[in-house]
Amino acid sequence: MPLLYDVTKLTVGTVLRFGWQPRVEGLEHLPRHGGAILAGNHLSVADELFLVTSTPRHVTFWAKVEYFNGRGPGGWLNRRIVAGMGAIPVDRSDGRAALRALDAAVPVLRAGGLVAVYPEGTRSPDGRLYRGRVGMTRLARDAGVPIIPVGVLGTAEVLPVDARLPRRHPITLRFGPPIPVAERINGPRDIRTVTDEVMAAIQQLTGQEYVPRYAPTRES
């Protein structure tokens, strides 16, 4: 586990645990060892913080490539943070680069790591759950790992878009049973089917209204 990740869990994680006392359910579905994808709904930038706080194992995330090549003191700090947290860079302006970022997660998963994915592709603009993108399922197939659905509630109220300071609000995280992938994929239709199954599992955990179309893109 990266040192900065440990430090963040000890400092920021302690503040979140005592300040918000998130309710965590279904943690027994998280394997103690071995690779898996954590697929969750995405309501706020606070989702990652509470997921890290509530998960005993190291979780790898993607981060915008801009965080890795910024200039000046702020850019240097961002580079140290994202690199120290073990993040994977992703260039969202280039479709092929985004695919390469997915490929970069395969060794992490095959080595027994956990990788967090937000299959909606962006934060929900209105609190509803949108159609999942199939890259998550392709990644699980290529790495030979299951997908664990994760439902997060309350983060949009804790840290709304453009908010400068967090607010007090109850937080709940729910982990669902692992969904096997590799042995079920025989073609593109199967990839879509499994993706929809994961989204249905997330919807069961959160109770969100489901929208059968992709979420409109936004800056995150």
Side-chain angles (χ1 to χ4, degrees):
M1 191 177 292
L3 177 59
L4 185 56
Y5 190 96
D6 283 338
V7 172
T8 301
K9 288 199 71 168
L10 184 62
T11 54
V12 177
T14 299
V15 172
L16 294 180
R17 281 193 298 273
F18 284 94
W20 279 266
Q21 298 181 342
R23 179 178 180 180
V24 183
E25 303 173 2
L27 202 57
E28 68 274 10
H29 297 305
L30 189 72
R32 292 188 177 184
H33 308 285
I37 291 174
L38 305 182
N41 59 319
H42 198 13
L43 300 173
S44 165
V45 294
D47 296 336
E48 297 177 1
L49 295 174
F50 283 101
L51 184 58
V52 166
T53 299
S54 304
T55 307
R57 295 178 54 190
H58 174 252
V59 181
T60 298
F61 293 91
W62 280 273
K64 294 187 295 184
V65 71
E66 290 84 356
Y67 288 141
F68 290 85
N69 54 25
R71 297 181 178 180
W76 176 86
L77 180 60
N78 282 334
R79 288 198 305 273
R80 295 298 298 269
I81 291 175
V82 294
M85 293 286 286
I88 299 172
V90 57
D91 184 353
R92 300 185 301 173
S93 65
D94 184 339
R96 291 184 177 180
L99 290 176
R100 289 195 295 272
L102 277 177
D103 291 341
V106 172
V108 176
L109 291 164
R110 288 180 176 171
L114 300 178
V115 174
V117 173
Y118 297 114
E120 292 170 276
T122 186
R123 289 185 310 226
S124 172
D126 52 19
R128 296 185 293 176
L129 183 69
Y130 284 79
R131 192 180 195 216
R133 299 182 181 273
V134 299
M136 160 192 67
T137 305
R138 290 196 178 107
L139 176 60
R141 175 201 61 188
D142 294 345
V145 300
I147 298 173
I148 299 175
V150 181
V152 181
L153 297 169
T155 51
E157 290 76 18
V158 169
L159 199 61
V161 176
D162 299 327
R164 294 188 176 183
L165 295 173
R167 304 167 184 173
R168 294 295 299 274
H169 191 276
I171 296 290
T172 299
L173 292 95
R174 298 187 177 117
F175 295 82
I179 296 174
V181 176
E183 60 271 25
R184 301 173 55 191
I185 304 299
N186 296 307
R189 182 176 297 180
D190 296 329
I191 293 176
R192 180 75 256 171
T193 297
V194 172
T195 301
D196 290 342
E197 180 182 335
V198 173
M199 300 310 295
I202 295 173
Q203 195 275 335
Q204 273 197 320
L205 294 171
T206 65
Q208 292 170 277
E209 178 185 348
Y210 180 71
V211 182
R213 64 176 184 271
Y214 295 125
T217 58
R218 60 185 298 172
E219 292 296 326
S220 58

